[in-house]
Amino acid sequence: MAYDPVIKICGIRTPDILDHVIAEGAAMVGFNAFPKSPRFIEGAGMADLVKRAAGRIETVVLLVDPDDAALDAAAASGAGWLQLHGRETPRRLEAARVRTKKKIIKALPVGSAEDVAAIPAYARVADRLILDAKPPADATRPGGLGATFDWTLLTGLDRSIRFMLSGGLDLDNVARAIREVRPFGLDVASGVEREKGVKDKALISAFIANARAAARE
């Protein structure tokens, strides 16, 4: 059955790429506030981009295990969503929503059936979920590593739980992801870059076009 997946382009750092993502009709755009990421953007630059995006696209700030001060700073940017991409518990998600009065996305690592079993507890408190590839133990950051995971792990997940799929998506495999997983949405960062942290307009356009074409089938 045809559908229209929510598409989020994450790790935006420049006005021209932001404008291109909006022109291509993506639903969400993400700004990375994690200093160890090649997509990190300083607070002032982020606030400028959030302001530029206002009324044109939904905006998300990505944080990893933020303390309250980091939550406050992200909320002050004006973005509509906060994405928690660390080891945050369901209780921490609830506290973050109450504190910031923002909608909360929780990114969850998937690498085993045990990881999938943990998803429902987060689904009860998050406004939206992103299912990402579980990073290796020695990874310096929790996502944006360009690695996929075994999508068949999700076959046992309650289909009433809507989620965005992430982890190693690019213009070559996004159609297969749509056909095999049928996620509510897609979240891409490294898969639309010509080098780490540098987005490519042609790759963004091709990714969105390929996703939409597959979703119409």
Side-chain angles (χ1 to χ4, degrees):
M1 180 181 294
Y3 76 113
D4 186 17
V6 168
I7 298 176
K8 173 174 170 277
I9 310 295
C10 197
I12 302 303
R13 302 172 67 198
T14 61
D16 63 318
I17 294 296
L18 172 62
D19 291 344
H20 183 75
V21 169
I22 293 171
E24 288 295 316
M28 308 181 84
V29 63
F31 305 106
N32 196 315
F34 184 51
K36 292 182 180 180
S37 171
R39 300 165 194 95
F40 172 68
I41 183 169
E42 296 280 357
M46 181 191 300
D48 287 344
L49 291 180
V50 170
K51 183 177 180 180
R52 187 182 185 93
R56 304 166 69 200
I57 193 170
E58 292 193 84
T59 50
V60 184
V61 176
L62 184 155
L63 302 155
V64 178
D65 297 314
D67 59 17
D68 286 347
L71 286 173
D72 292 346
S77 73
W81 296 75
L82 302 183
Q83 177 178 325
L84 303 187
H85 210 116
R87 296 186 175 92
E88 302 89 2
T89 64
R91 184 185 295 272
R92 181 58 172 159
L93 265 61
E94 290 181 300
R97 181 192 289 108
V98 171
R99 184 179 184 88
T100 66
K101 298 178 174 58
K102 298 290 185 180
K103 291 176 284 189
I104 302 295
I105 299 174
K106 180 65 180 98
L108 293 170
V110 178
S112 68
E114 288 76 16
D115 297 326
V116 175
I119 293 172
Y122 285 93
R124 286 190 285 270
V125 294
D127 296 289
R128 191 165 290 175
L129 296 176
I130 290 175
L131 304 186
D132 199 358
K134 192 169 189 173
D138 60 350
T140 59
R141 57 187 194 274
L145 302 174
T148 58
F149 66 92
D150 180 3
W151 298 333
T152 64
L153 288 168
L154 302 178
T155 56
L157 184 64
D158 181 349
R159 293 306 297 177
S160 70
I161 297 176
R162 299 197 304 174
F163 61 88
M164 300 180 73
L165 184 67
S166 189
L169 295 177
D170 57 33
L171 68 163
D172 295 320
N173 65 14
V174 66
R176 182 167 64 86
I178 290 286
R179 296 185 191 108
E180 294 182 8
V181 183
R182 307 299 283 182
F184 166 76
L186 303 160
D187 180 40
V188 64
S190 63
V192 290
E193 293 177 349
R194 61 175 178 269
E195 59 185 86
K196 280 187 179 180
V198 181
K199 294 291 187 286
D200 184 283
K201 292 180 181 180
L203 293 178
I204 291 169
S205 297
F207 181 90
I208 293 174
N210 289 0
R212 287 178 172 155
R216 288 194 297 266
E217 295 178 357

